[in-house]
Amino acid sequence: MLAEGHGAAPGLIPFLADLGAKPIWVASVILAATYAVIVSEKINRVVISLLGAGMMVGLGILTQDAAIRGVDFNTLALLVGMMVIVGIAKDSGMFQYIAIRTAQLVKGDPRMLMMALSLVTAVLSALLDNVTTVMLVVPVSILLCERLKLPVYPFLFSQIFASNTGGAATLIGDPPNIMIGSAVGLSFVQFVENVALPSAICFIVTTLFFDLIWGRKLEASQEDRDGVMKFNAREMITDTVLLRKSLFCIGLALFGFVVGHGHGYEPGSVALFCAAFLMFLDGLGHTPEKQGEKVHHAFTLVEWNTIFFFIGLFIVVYGVEETGLLSLMAEKLLALTAGDVKAMGLVIMWSSAILSAIVDNIPFVATMIPMIKAMGPAMGGDEALLPLWWCLSLGACLGGNGSIVGASANLIVAGFAERAGHRISFLGFMKLAFPLMIVTVMIASVWAWFFLL
Amino acid sequence: MSLKSIMIQKEDVISVTPDMTVKDALAKLVTSGVRSMPVIDSGGKYLGLFNFRALVGKLLPASACVEGGVASLSFMAEDIAFIIDKFEQAKAMTVAEIMRTDVPAIHMDTVFEEALLQIYSSDAPLPVLEPETGTLVGLFSKQCAIAHFMARASAGKGE
């Protein structure tokens, strides 16, 4: 890809050039070092991704302009927009309300409760971001377990799986999908058509499995169940007006995602517009000072570390992309699979799943996207690549279930559970989660084989 | 200004031992009229603090007491049986199982201003320890601070 004098490259700094270093090797070393440190978890991953990005510019692989071109602002806008919307919405107490009502709907029956809370988690994860969903549902779930004197672990475990399989179902459900959808220009509807069903099947299978090993053995006394039935869920709604405004804006955003694509509106614009509109509604009737406070608060709810992690990764990956490493890797993958789309799809899905279980799936997907794109011409155009994107999506999202570090939501659940006195051990979780993740990827493979590839 | 003359002296501190039952410790709390009691082992080493917050932390749902947890319990109305159940269980525990270890400890040579800042953001009296051994030498309470203000202010006027 990179010819001498390519517009994006300022040229290696003299010291490295004198040593005879090639940009492609320098970029590869930066990428490998960045990923190695991220995997080791010795240094904060956000810091490392930004240092890696800084090296790409500092050593002359990319100019600042080129680095900025590498950042996918649509992904960032979608993430920031949804974080603001959900951040404001959660203050209305609506998510806790849903969890408590769910418990009462099943009359406090523990077996049904475990399935129902998983379903709630899965649906919310599909429509909102996984991390927020578990952050709101898990504390109430633990409280319900305490009240019903139930073991907490099965609930935490099943909700982690529900959040990742639910998130796999839609464009906005999980960061890998947001990135893939944004980079390739796939629509909300296309995601639902292609990956929602296999995700739903995986959800049903895992939920039934959890019922078999845990759910059916759970018991709660009638007295404790009566206690839950006496809960006044309405008390959970702290602000009815805010609730209506939030629901309206979430609905508006979903509507925008579905119909916007056909009219050239990217999800990033839709999400940011809806976030701005919710902040507008939320500020109505308040003094300028109070409005200022509310807006400030809304923006503190954005996980800026995640946003900057993305920025750093985008730049690191763009650096290796510009030097031609990724097209080289794409050629190798093409050669390995002899250009057979079925074989390639399965290789992509399985490698995404296994790697996403061990490493955070975000850097992996960021690297795979330009690599798969580079195979376009050899495979016969972008249309021919479509099945590969679904394989990447399913593999990366479902792979997140494989270990406690596989997805951000898992870490959030583990972190909260530990604070509340219920530790989830890394190996203990993985012993069951990894094989189960393999089963879900098998289901996805069968689906892909018959319907996607 | 050293805390030595301001704090409650060791011999006046009402304390409990880690192996005492919560039931007995609560009885001691009520009869002695104090709100917090340091937990001290046989060697005089400070281990933690026993007070209302330590007890109630065991009675409330854990997911409501930690950061990022359930923000309100107003929906649990008319469910006192649940709390009483847990109180019965807590009574049989030992002090060591429920004592708090999150209260910042200070030293005899901590300056008064710093001690004041620490207790300003603390809901409990601060244990004053000997740095090397961790032995309790006194307790710095809000009453100690107020008594010290008053003593200094009236002394100032008299001069």
Side-chain angles (χ1 to χ4, degrees):
Chain A
M1 282 284 285
L2 183 86
E4 290 331 306
H6 187 289
L12 280 182
I13 56 167
F15 173 72
L16 287 175
D18 290 347
L19 283 177
K22 292 268 185 296
I24 187 168
W25 294 119
V26 177
S28 309
V29 170
I30 297 174
L31 177 85
T34 306
Y35 281 20
V37 182
I38 290 176
V39 175
S40 79
E41 293 179 347
K42 293 275 184 254
I43 300 172
N44 181 282
R45 58 183 196 154
V46 182
V47 176
I48 282 304
S49 83
L50 288 174
L51 281 177
M55 297 277 274
M56 285 288 178
V57 177
L59 297 182
I61 307 292
L62 296 171
T63 60
Q64 180 175 300
D65 280 348
I68 288 172
R69 270 202 300 283
V71 176
D72 180 359
F73 285 97
N74 182 41
T75 294
L76 301 184
L78 179 53
L79 285 167
V80 172
M82 291 308 285
M83 284 172 184
V84 168
I85 293 174
V86 176
I88 296 176
K90 77 176 164 65
D91 287 342
S92 67
M94 106 170 113
F95 302 101
Q96 287 94 336
Y97 172 80
I98 295 172
I100 297 284
R101 285 299 294 156
T102 304
Q104 295 180 329
L105 222 60
V106 298
K107 304 205 159 43
D109 174 55
R111 183 179 184 180
M112 293 297 287
L113 181 64
M114 197 168 102
M115 288 198 233
L117 284 176
S118 292
L119 184 64
V120 167
T121 309
V123 172
L124 287 176
S125 294
L127 300 180
L128 306 167
D129 119 81
N130 292 357
V131 171
T132 321
T133 302
V134 296
M135 221 184 255
L136 297 168
V137 177
V138 164
V140 187
S141 303
I142 295 182
L143 188 140
L144 286 166
C145 289
E146 285 181 66
R147 184 62 193 88
L148 291 165
K149 304 192 179 80
L150 298 173
V152 174
Y153 192 70
F155 284 79
L156 298 176
F157 203 105
S158 58
Q159 282 175 39
I160 286 178
F161 264 73
S163 91
N164 289 320
T165 40
T170 67
L171 167 72
I172 52 166
D174 215 356
N177 285 1
I178 296 180
M179 292 161 85
I180 296 167
S182 171
V184 190
L186 301 171
S187 73
F188 193 87
V189 178
Q190 276 176 295
F191 265 93
V192 171
E193 283 170 355
N194 289 284
V195 293
L197 215 52
S199 306
I201 296 171
C202 290
F203 170 74
I204 292 167
V205 169
T206 51
T207 304
L208 290 177
F209 176 74
F210 294 139
D211 181 63
L212 182 73
I213 60 167
W214 289 317
R216 66 196 177 94
K217 296 172 197 156
L218 294 175
E219 274 171 35
S221 73
Q222 194 53 46
E223 198 187 337
D224 289 331
R225 288 172 60 173
D226 290 344
V228 168
M229 292 312 286
K230 270 192 234 151
F231 283 177
N232 184 1
R234 280 217 153 265
E235 284 286 341
M236 277 288 190
I237 307 269
T238 47
D239 190 337
T240 326
V241 181
L242 179 62
L243 175 73
R244 291 212 192 95
K245 292 171 179 172
S246 309
L247 282 177
F248 175 76
C249 287
I250 292 173
L252 188 67
L254 294 177
F255 177 76
F257 296 143
V258 174
V259 302
H261 190 79
H263 297 86
Y265 295 118
E266 298 275 346
S269 313
V270 173
L272 268 193
F273 173 79
C274 293
F277 194 60
L278 181 56
M279 285 192 277
F280 164 73
L281 291 178
D282 192 29
L284 276 182
H286 289 285
T287 61
E289 289 77 27
K290 184 71 189 164
Q291 285 185 37
E293 265 173 47
K294 280 176 168 285
V295 172
H296 179 77
H297 178 64
F299 276 106
T300 56
L301 300 169
V302 174
E303 291 161 62
W304 291 108
N305 45 354
T306 305
I307 302 299
F308 277 91
F309 181 51
F310 271 91
I311 293 176
L313 283 175
F314 281 138
I315 296 174
V316 170
V317 171
Y318 194 62
V320 288
E321 188 185 350
E322 282 293 304
T323 55
L325 175 71
L326 294 183
S327 28
L328 204 71
M329 280 163 66
E331 277 169 37
K332 292 270 182 265
L333 182 61
L334 276 168
L336 183 76
T337 55
D340 175 41
V341 77
K342 276 191 187 315
M344 202 171 313
L346 292 181
V347 167
I348 290 174
M349 188 187 291
W350 281 90
S351 54
S352 324
I354 306 279
L355 282 167
S356 298
I358 312 168
V359 204
D360 194 312
N361 52 18
I362 294 168
F364 178 76
V365 172
T367 319
M368 286 303 283
I369 287 172
M371 198 179 120
I372 295 179
K373 268 190 174 172
M375 297 194 295
M379 298 289 293
D382 292 346
E383 200 61 21
L385 291 181
L386 267 180
L388 302 183
W389 297 122
W390 307 131
C391 289
L392 176 63
S393 155
L394 284 169
C397 295
L398 295 175
N401 275 326
S403 81
I404 210 78
V405 297
S408 314
N410 307 7
L411 287 168
I412 297 288
V413 175
F416 183 82
E418 181 150 10
R419 288 206 294 283
H422 304 280
R423 215 179 97 75
I424 301 179
S425 88
F426 184 87
L427 283 177
F429 179 85
M430 198 161 174
K431 245 191 280 172
L432 181 60
F434 199 85
L436 208 50
M437 178 275 285
I438 297 287
V439 172
T440 61
V441 180
M442 280 168 155
I443 294 172
S445 303
V446 172
W447 176 271
W449 187 268
F450 287 108
F451 301 107
L452 299 176
L453 294 168
Chain B
M1 187 75 206
S2 161
L3 293 175
K4 195 169 168 51
S5 57
I6 306 170
M7 67 186 190
I8 304 166
Q9 304 300 317
K10 182 184 180 176
E11 48 279 11
D12 299 327
V13 173
I14 294 163
S15 62
V16 285
T17 53
D19 53 357
M20 207 169 183
T21 64
V22 170
K23 188 181 170 205
D24 292 344
L26 284 172
K28 191 168 183 181
L29 200 72
V30 171
T31 52
S32 58
V34 295
R35 273 168 286 193
S36 291
M37 300 185 290
V39 184
I40 310 234
D41 72 5
S42 52
K45 194 170 180 293
Y46 169 81
L47 301 174
L49 204 65
F50 179 84
N51 65 1
F52 174 80
R53 195 181 159 93
L55 172 71
V56 176
K58 290 286 169 209
L59 307 186
L60 287 169
S63 51
C65 296
V66 298
E67 193 198 333
V70 180
S72 156
L73 291 178
S74 45
F75 68 92
M76 286 184 92
E78 296 169 69
D79 200 20
I80 180 79
F82 171 60
I83 302 284
I84 296 301
D85 254 17
K86 288 192 142 191
F87 182 65
E88 291 294 343
Q89 288 167 20
K91 272 191 346 195
M93 292 182 182
T94 64
V95 164
E97 286 175 278
I98 79 160
M99 68 184 180
R100 294 171 60 191
T101 50
D102 61 335
V103 179
I106 51 176
H107 303 309
M108 193 94 93
D109 47 4
T110 303
V111 294
F112 181 68
E113 286 79 355
E114 173 61 15
L116 200 58
L117 177 64
Q118 294 276 350
I119 203 159
Y120 168 69
S121 47
S122 168
D123 62 306
L126 309 178
V128 184
L129 308 183
E130 204 175 80
E132 290 84 29
T133 57
T135 309
L136 188 93
V137 292
L139 205 58
F140 180 66
S141 71
K142 289 172 184 170
Q143 285 80 356
C144 295
I146 294 171
H148 184 56
F149 295 149
M150 294 178 69
R152 287 299 296 257
S154 52
K157 256 184 203 165
E159 273 164 18

